[in-house]
Amino acid sequence: MSCCAPEAGVFAHATDVCGASPSREEIVLASRQATKNLREVRLSVPSIHCGGCLRTIERALANLEDVAEARANLTTRSVVVRWKEGLSPPPIAETLVAIGYPPHLGDNEATGADRSQAELVRALAVAGFAASNIMLFSVSVWSGAEVELRNLFHILSAFIALPALIYSGRVFYRSAWAALRHGRTNMDVPISIGVGLAFAMSLYDTIHGGPHAYFDAAIMLLFFLLIGRTLDDVMRAKARTAVRDLAKLTARGATVEHQDGARTYLPVSEIKPGMTILLAAGERVPVDARVQSGTSELDRSLVTGESAPLTITAGAIVEAGTLNLTGPLRLKAMAVAHDSFLAEMVRLMTAAEAGRSSYRRLADKAASLYAPLVHSAALLSFLGWAFATGDYHRAATVAIAVLIITCPCALGLAVPIVQVIAARRLFERGIMVKDGAGLERLAEVDTIVFDKTGTLTAGFPQLRDSPPADSRVLALAAALAAHSRHPQSLALVAANTVREAQNVQVDDVREVPGQGLEGRTGSGLLRLGRADWALHDPGTVSISSRYPRTILSRDGQLLAVFSFHEHLRAGAREAIDALKAQDFEVAILSGDHAAAVESLARELGIKRFEAGLRPGDKLARLKGLAMVGRRTLMVGDGLNDAPALAAAHVSMAPSSAVDVGRTAADFVFMRDSLEAVPFTLAVARRAGRLIRENFALAVIYNAIALPFAVAGFITPLAAALAMSASSLMVVGNAMRLNVGTLRAAERPERITPQASRPPNAIARVVE
Amino acid sequence: MSVLVYLIPVSIALGAIGLVAFLWSLRRGQYQDLDGAAERILFEDEDVPD
């Protein structure tokens, strides 16, 4: 899939009103050669939720002709399908939609991240094997083996420890070396030095028949630290996969008309300026382009934050990522994908992220204090013992005991174990944590900035006075509206709960782009749309600009006026109330018109809001907040929010957000409810507290153990016991995140894998 | 104590077998869907690995 560069993803919008399942062309584009005559594609299927789903999907796909193998995965909610090469691909997506599991195209790139995780797990396995075997010998030595046997066991331990230390320790040596080369120090420096010195010293003692060897301590140290590293990596990988697999749907390509009139479906990355693009209603604009012919309306909500569709005609310029709603368009591409509107956003984001990289992770902060302390303690005890006794061997043994006992075993686990448990907690509630650092930053937040369209609101309009007085008129309007993808039409269809629509016969329905819909019934010509088009005498309807309206008329006479308002995202009110109750400063930054923003802000009781902001303005507002020392959480979904998401101290995006938005955000919430925001904040704060407690535990442990080590009382047995005990203590403390105060905040919530749409709209997608 | 001549290699070999088995199962992707594996055991029809 390297042909489809990441920029293709910008058009993704989860179960979009107009997004159908991937076409066969897209599946072929996304597939890869698995074996000599099999092609393989990975599809993300968010609605997989139980074992039964696995079987239903595998059976349905296996029954297709040409499908060689189908394997569904419950953990990653995806399915891998292999089919026989050469033929047109089997109707995979169609089959999945038919059985109720609409798929999205996943990302088929084998990422470097997966490889690093595999390396960590292998290193962990080797360290575990070596640690358990060496420990068998050590226990015999500690329980008083005779001198010859002890020496034999030490030699055997050395033979097992050497390859294991080399293989499993590479992760740490590499990172320590990289840090030292740049004149910095990190947690891995004392680890590498401690492990290396302990092994060298033990080897020397083994050769000379000494009584103590620290092979077990060295390898156990690596084992514990690798557990922490692996957990950290697993957590991030899990979130990465989940975020990556979110609906990478729609415009991975577009139909291009060549000079000779031939039409082909090209991936976005192959569309060049000057090409003629044929865009049907319901498709997203692939690259920035100029309209050559056609009239339609554009949904720009994901790009600019405007909630009302914009009417466009020939000559208009359309940005990549906007959604064509009502009529077919012929476009002339003006830029390649790299130079489109997205590129401007990416440039702003890169600049914004540079500011954030100054954040240092807690563990690194701790290490920069800790490493010099440990090293000077070890050096001082070496010098002290050397001066006091003149016995350099004894002095070295003590110094190494100090290094081992203070080695940041508990510190290495203190942060990742808490973050892994927190991430799991959040994952259960459909919230993905991209990086542990996000959790640390979130705990410091004092200001929360929301985008409006698609974040505080659901991103689609709702009929204001529903249920309306006259259900028959609504049924009539809905019967017409069922033929359109316009957001207001969808809202009308959704509002028509009385299923009279079936009884209404409307013929010859056609959509007049930019105007509305018209159709015939027995009693006359119905029109649904703009007042000046639907009515003979538009002056009869009073003009109210507060809410967008649409008119239903029969033969030019007014039947009904429908007005719409933006529909709050589920849980928005509760979330805002909860945040205000906790004394967070809440603000709205929106790209939409002032009137729409103001009415929403008033409805939610938010005092600070700004409207009509361009992406650069949002970025500037966030930088301004950072300048006065505010730590902001930005919650947004649109392309126009992406730079702000990257600039904020920490950021969240709903799963319906554009691709770059999800990439820029530290957290992505998969379920509808905005209550994910206060919940995540609560978890992050609690995790922050537990991490500090863990650090305190590790420090206390060291404060107790260090004097013993300096005094020379630490034998290998004592070191092993102390290390295990401190690690267990830290892990046990982290487990407390699973119980306690958060319980109250939790309420059972219906699982909706994607942003919900009005029920009828979902039905349309499935059709 | 001559029994150690056998016991030590045996104990190391057992550990090594465990290690190799783990690495093999890791390579075969047996840990890629732990949630799914827990459910699949309940399937009634034969689920033959390839």
mmCIF file with all atom_site columns, all heavy atoms in Angstrom, chain B residues 11-26:
data_model
loop_
_atom_site.group_PDB
_atom_site.id
_atom_site.type_symbol
_atom_site.label_atom_id
_atom_site.label_alt_id
_atom_site.label_comp_id
_atom_site.label_asym_id
_atom_site.label_entity_id
_atom_site.label_seq_id
_atom_site.pdbx_PDB_ins_code
_atom_site.Cartn_x
_atom_site.Cartn_y
_atom_site.Cartn_z
_atom_site.occupancy
_atom_site.B_iso_or_equiv
_atom_site.pdbx_formal_charge
_atom_site.auth_seq_id
_atom_site.auth_comp_id
_atom_site.auth_asym_id
_atom_site.auth_atom_id
_atom_site.pdbx_PDB_model_num
ATOM 1   N N   . SER B 1 11 ? 17.663 -30.083 33.434 1.00 0.00 ? 11 SER B N   1
ATOM 2   C CA  . SER B 1 11 ? 16.916 -28.890 33.842 1.00 0.00 ? 11 SER B CA  1
ATOM 3   C C   . SER B 1 11 ? 17.111 -27.757 32.838 1.00 0.00 ? 11 SER B C   1
ATOM 4   O O   . SER B 1 11 ? 16.171 -27.046 32.490 1.00 0.00 ? 11 SER B O   1
ATOM 5   C CB  . SER B 1 11 ? 17.330 -28.447 35.254 1.00 0.00 ? 11 SER B CB  1
ATOM 6   O OG  . SER B 1 11 ? 18.483 -27.654 35.201 1.00 0.00 ? 11 SER B OG  1
ATOM 7   N N   . ILE B 1 12 ? 18.358 -27.620 32.352 1.00 0.00 ? 12 ILE B N   1
ATOM 8   C CA  . ILE B 1 12 ? 18.588 -26.554 31.371 1.00 0.00 ? 12 ILE B CA  1
ATOM 9   C C   . ILE B 1 12 ? 17.860 -26.871 30.077 1.00 0.00 ? 12 ILE B C   1
ATOM 10  O O   . ILE B 1 12 ? 17.237 -25.995 29.461 1.00 0.00 ? 12 ILE B O   1
ATOM 11  C CB  . ILE B 1 12 ? 20.101 -26.376 31.127 1.00 0.00 ? 12 ILE B CB  1
ATOM 12  C CG1 . ILE B 1 12 ? 20.753 -25.846 32.409 1.00 0.00 ? 12 ILE B CG1 1
ATOM 13  C CG2 . ILE B 1 12 ? 20.349 -25.405 29.986 1.00 0.00 ? 12 ILE B CG2 1
ATOM 14  C CD1 . ILE B 1 12 ? 22.237 -25.661 32.320 1.00 0.00 ? 12 ILE B CD1 1
ATOM 15  N N   . ALA B 1 13 ? 17.891 -28.153 29.685 1.00 0.00 ? 13 ALA B N   1
ATOM 16  C CA  . ALA B 1 13 ? 17.231 -28.538 28.439 1.00 0.00 ? 13 ALA B CA  1
ATOM 17  C C   . ALA B 1 13 ? 15.729 -28.278 28.533 1.00 0.00 ? 13 ALA B C   1
ATOM 18  O O   . ALA B 1 13 ? 15.121 -27.771 27.588 1.00 0.00 ? 13 ALA B O   1
ATOM 19  C CB  . ALA B 1 13 ? 17.501 -30.008 28.130 1.00 0.00 ? 13 ALA B CB  1
ATOM 20  N N   . LEU B 1 14 ? 15.142 -28.596 29.677 1.00 0.00 ? 14 LEU B N   1
ATOM 21  C CA  . LEU B 1 14 ? 13.699 -28.363 29.827 1.00 0.00 ? 14 LEU B CA  1
ATOM 22  C C   . LEU B 1 14 ? 13.377 -26.874 29.668 1.00 0.00 ? 14 LEU B C   1
ATOM 23  O O   . LEU B 1 14 ? 12.430 -26.494 28.982 1.00 0.00 ? 14 LEU B O   1
ATOM 24  C CB  . LEU B 1 14 ? 13.225 -28.859 31.195 1.00 0.00 ? 14 LEU B CB  1
ATOM 25  C CG  . LEU B 1 14 ? 13.064 -30.367 31.313 1.00 0.00 ? 14 LEU B CG  1
ATOM 26  C CD1 . LEU B 1 14 ? 12.708 -30.755 32.738 1.00 0.00 ? 14 LEU B CD1 1
ATOM 27  C CD2 . LEU B 1 14 ? 11.994 -30.867 30.348 1.00 0.00 ? 14 LEU B CD2 1
ATOM 28  N N   . GLY B 1 15 ? 14.208 -26.056 30.322 1.00 0.00 ? 15 GLY B N   1
ATOM 29  C CA  . GLY B 1 15 ? 13.995 -24.609 30.196 1.00 0.00 ? 15 GLY B CA  1
ATOM 30  C C   . GLY B 1 15 ? 14.134 -24.168 28.749 1.00 0.00 ? 15 GLY B C   1
ATOM 31  O O   . GLY B 1 15 ? 13.324 -23.389 28.245 1.00 0.00 ? 15 GLY B O   1
ATOM 32  N N   . ALA B 1 16 ? 15.153 -24.715 28.070 1.00 0.00 ? 16 ALA B N   1
ATOM 33  C CA  . ALA B 1 16 ? 15.406 -24.320 26.684 1.00 0.00 ? 16 ALA B CA  1
ATOM 34  C C   . ALA B 1 16 ? 14.241 -24.737 25.794 1.00 0.00 ? 16 ALA B C   1
ATOM 35  O O   . ALA B 1 16 ? 13.831 -24.000 24.892 1.00 0.00 ? 16 ALA B O   1
ATOM 36  C CB  . ALA B 1 16 ? 16.706 -24.932 26.189 1.00 0.00 ? 16 ALA B CB  1
ATOM 37  N N   . ILE B 1 17 ? 13.680 -25.931 26.064 1.00 0.00 ? 17 ILE B N   1
ATOM 38  C CA  . ILE B 1 17 ? 12.532 -26.383 25.262 1.00 0.00 ? 17 ILE B CA  1
ATOM 39  C C   . ILE B 1 17 ? 11.370 -25.401 25.423 1.00 0.00 ? 17 ILE B C   1
ATOM 40  O O   . ILE B 1 17 ? 10.722 -24.999 24.463 1.00 0.00 ? 17 ILE B O   1
ATOM 41  C CB  . ILE B 1 17 ? 12.110 -27.806 25.679 1.00 0.00 ? 17 ILE B CB  1
ATOM 42  C CG1 . ILE B 1 17 ? 13.168 -28.815 25.222 1.00 0.00 ? 17 ILE B CG1 1
ATOM 43  C CG2 . ILE B 1 17 ? 10.750 -28.161 25.078 1.00 0.00 ? 17 ILE B CG2 1
ATOM 44  C CD1 . ILE B 1 17 ? 12.960 -30.212 25.776 1.00 0.00 ? 17 ILE B CD1 1
ATOM 45  N N   . GLY B 1 18 ? 11.157 -25.004 26.675 1.00 0.00 ? 18 GLY B N   1
ATOM 46  C CA  . GLY B 1 18 ? 10.085 -24.033 26.924 1.00 0.00 ? 18 GLY B CA  1
ATOM 47  C C   . GLY B 1 18 ? 10.325 -22.747 26.158 1.00 0.00 ? 18 GLY B C   1
ATOM 48  O O   . GLY B 1 18 ? 9.409  -22.200 25.533 1.00 0.00 ? 18 GLY B O   1
ATOM 49  N N   . LEU B 1 19 ? 11.579 -22.288 26.181 1.00 0.00 ? 19 LEU B N   1
ATOM 50  C CA  . LEU B 1 19 ? 11.915 -21.037 25.486 1.00 0.00 ? 19 LEU B CA  1
ATOM 51  C C   . LEU B 1 19 ? 11.665 -21.164 23.986 1.00 0.00 ? 19 LEU B C   1
ATOM 52  O O   . LEU B 1 19 ? 11.034 -20.316 23.367 1.00 0.00 ? 19 LEU B O   1
ATOM 53  C CB  . LEU B 1 19 ? 13.373 -20.677 25.760 1.00 0.00 ? 19 LEU B CB  1
ATOM 54  C CG  . LEU B 1 19 ? 13.911 -19.435 25.059 1.00 0.00 ? 19 LEU B CG  1
ATOM 55  C CD1 . LEU B 1 19 ? 13.199 -18.199 25.567 1.00 0.00 ? 19 LEU B CD1 1
ATOM 56  C CD2 . LEU B 1 19 ? 15.408 -19.311 25.267 1.00 0.00 ? 19 LEU B CD2 1
ATOM 57  N N   . VAL B 1 20 ? 12.162 -22.270 23.419 1.00 0.00 ? 20 VAL B N   1
ATOM 58  C CA  . VAL B 1 20 ? 12.006 -22.473 21.977 1.00 0.00 ? 20 VAL B CA  1
ATOM 59  C C   . VAL B 1 20 ? 10.526 -22.574 21.608 1.00 0.00 ? 20 VAL B C   1
ATOM 60  O O   . VAL B 1 20 ? 10.070 -21.975 20.627 1.00 0.00 ? 20 VAL B O   1
ATOM 61  C CB  . VAL B 1 20 ? 12.773 -23.738 21.527 1.00 0.00 ? 20 VAL B CB  1
ATOM 62  C CG1 . VAL B 1 20 ? 12.412 -24.114 20.100 1.00 0.00 ? 20 VAL B CG1 1
ATOM 63  C CG2 . VAL B 1 20 ? 14.266 -23.506 21.657 1.00 0.00 ? 20 VAL B CG2 1
ATOM 64  N N   . ALA B 1 21 ? 9.770  -23.297 22.448 1.00 0.00 ? 21 ALA B N   1
ATOM 65  C CA  . ALA B 1 21 ? 8.336  -23.430 22.170 1.00 0.00 ? 21 ALA B CA  1
ATOM 66  C C   . ALA B 1 21 ? 7.657  -22.066 22.184 1.00 0.00 ? 21 ALA B C   1
ATOM 67  O O   . ALA B 1 21 ? 6.817  -21.765 21.338 1.00 0.00 ? 21 ALA B O   1
ATOM 68  C CB  . ALA B 1 21 ? 7.684  -24.349 23.206 1.00 0.00 ? 21 ALA B CB  1
ATOM 69  N N   . PHE B 1 22 ? 8.047  -21.228 23.132 1.00 0.00 ? 22 PHE B N   1
ATOM 70  C CA  . PHE B 1 22 ? 7.439  -19.902 23.209 1.00 0.00 ? 22 PHE B CA  1
ATOM 71  C C   . PHE B 1 22 ? 7.783  -19.068 21.981 1.00 0.00 ? 22 PHE B C   1
ATOM 72  O O   . PHE B 1 22 ? 6.917  -18.450 21.366 1.00 0.00 ? 22 PHE B O   1
ATOM 73  C CB  . PHE B 1 22 ? 7.911  -19.181 24.475 1.00 0.00 ? 22 PHE B CB  1
ATOM 74  C CG  . PHE B 1 22 ? 7.422  -17.765 24.554 1.00 0.00 ? 22 PHE B CG  1
ATOM 75  C CD1 . PHE B 1 22 ? 6.096  -17.498 24.851 1.00 0.00 ? 22 PHE B CD1 1
ATOM 76  C CD2 . PHE B 1 22 ? 8.274  -16.710 24.303 1.00 0.00 ? 22 PHE B CD2 1
ATOM 77  C CE1 . PHE B 1 22 ? 5.630  -16.196 24.897 1.00 0.00 ? 22 PHE B CE1 1
ATOM 78  C CE2 . PHE B 1 22 ? 7.818  -15.401 24.352 1.00 0.00 ? 22 PHE B CE2 1
ATOM 79  C CZ  . PHE B 1 22 ? 6.492  -15.150 24.648 1.00 0.00 ? 22 PHE B CZ  1
ATOM 80  N N   . LEU B 1 23 ? 9.079  -19.099 21.622 1.00 0.00 ? 23 LEU B N   1
ATOM 81  C CA  . LEU B 1 23 ? 9.491  -18.305 20.465 1.00 0.00 ? 23 LEU B CA  1
ATOM 82  C C   . LEU B 1 23 ? 8.790  -18.790 19.192 1.00 0.00 ? 23 LEU B C   1
ATOM 83  O O   . LEU B 1 23 ? 8.395  -18.002 18.341 1.00 0.00 ? 23 LEU B O   1
ATOM 84  C CB  . LEU B 1 23 ? 11.013 -18.356 20.303 1.00 0.00 ? 23 LEU B CB  1
ATOM 85  C CG  . LEU B 1 23 ? 11.795 -17.653 21.413 1.00 0.00 ? 23 LEU B CG  1
ATOM 86  C CD1 . LEU B 1 23 ? 13.287 -17.799 21.180 1.00 0.00 ? 23 LEU B CD1 1
ATOM 87  C CD2 . LEU B 1 23 ? 11.421 -16.181 21.499 1.00 0.00 ? 23 LEU B CD2 1
ATOM 88  N N   . TRP B 1 24 ? 8.595  -20.121 19.119 1.00 0.00 ? 24 TRP B N   1
ATOM 89  C CA  . TRP B 1 24 ? 7.922  -20.679 17.945 1.00 0.00 ? 24 TRP B CA  1
ATOM 90  C C   . TRP B 1 24 ? 6.475  -20.190 17.889 1.00 0.00 ? 24 TRP B C   1
ATOM 91  O O   . TRP B 1 24 ? 6.000  -19.724 16.866 1.00 0.00 ? 24 TRP B O   1
ATOM 92  C CB  . TRP B 1 24 ? 7.970  -22.214 18.024 1.00 0.00 ? 24 TRP B CB  1
ATOM 93  C CG  . TRP B 1 24 ? 7.137  -22.899 16.988 1.00 0.00 ? 24 TRP B CG  1
ATOM 94  C CD1 . TRP B 1 24 ? 7.477  -23.124 15.682 1.00 0.00 ? 24 TRP B CD1 1
ATOM 95  C CD2 . TRP B 1 24 ? 5.827  -23.449 17.164 1.00 0.00 ? 24 TRP B CD2 1
ATOM 96  N NE1 . TRP B 1 24 ? 6.460  -23.761 15.038 1.00 0.00 ? 24 TRP B NE1 1
ATOM 97  C CE2 . TRP B 1 24 ? 5.426  -23.974 15.920 1.00 0.00 ? 24 TRP B CE2 1
ATOM 98  C CE3 . TRP B 1 24 ? 4.958  -23.542 18.255 1.00 0.00 ? 24 TRP B CE3 1
ATOM 99  C CZ2 . TRP B 1 24 ? 4.194  -24.603 15.737 1.00 0.00 ? 24 TRP B CZ2 1
ATOM 100 C CZ3 . TRP B 1 24 ? 3.733  -24.155 18.074 1.00 0.00 ? 24 TRP B CZ3 1
ATOM 101 C CH2 . TRP B 1 24 ? 3.356  -24.677 16.823 1.00 0.00 ? 24 TRP B CH2 1
ATOM 102 N N   . SER B 1 25 ? 5.791  -20.272 19.029 1.00 0.00 ? 25 SER B N   1
ATOM 103 C CA  . SER B 1 25 ? 4.391  -19.871 19.031 1.00 0.00 ? 25 SER B CA  1
ATOM 104 C C   . SER B 1 25 ? 4.257  -18.377 18.768 1.00 0.00 ? 25 SER B C   1
ATOM 105 O O   . SER B 1 25 ? 3.299  -17.921 18.145 1.00 0.00 ? 25 SER B O   1
ATOM 106 C CB  . SER B 1 25 ? 3.730  -20.241 20.360 1.00 0.00 ? 25 SER B CB  1
ATOM 107 O OG  . SER B 1 25 ? 4.377  -19.577 21.417 1.00 0.00 ? 25 SER B OG  1
ATOM 108 N N   . LEU B 1 26 ? 5.252  -17.627 19.218 1.00 0.00 ? 26 LEU B N   1
ATOM 109 C CA  . LEU B 1 26 ? 5.240  -16.178 18.970 1.00 0.00 ? 26 LEU B CA  1
ATOM 110 C C   . LEU B 1 26 ? 5.351  -15.913 17.477 1.00 0.00 ? 26 LEU B C   1
ATOM 111 O O   . LEU B 1 26 ? 4.624  -15.125 16.900 1.00 0.00 ? 26 LEU B O   1
ATOM 112 C CB  . LEU B 1 26 ? 6.417  -15.537 19.715 1.00 0.00 ? 26 LEU B CB  1
ATOM 113 C CG  . LEU B 1 26 ? 6.515  -14.024 19.678 1.00 0.00 ? 26 LEU B CG  1
ATOM 114 C CD1 . LEU B 1 26 ? 5.386  -13.417 20.485 1.00 0.00 ? 26 LEU B CD1 1
ATOM 115 C CD2 . LEU B 1 26 ? 7.854  -13.577 20.252 1.00 0.00 ? 26 LEU B CD2 1
#
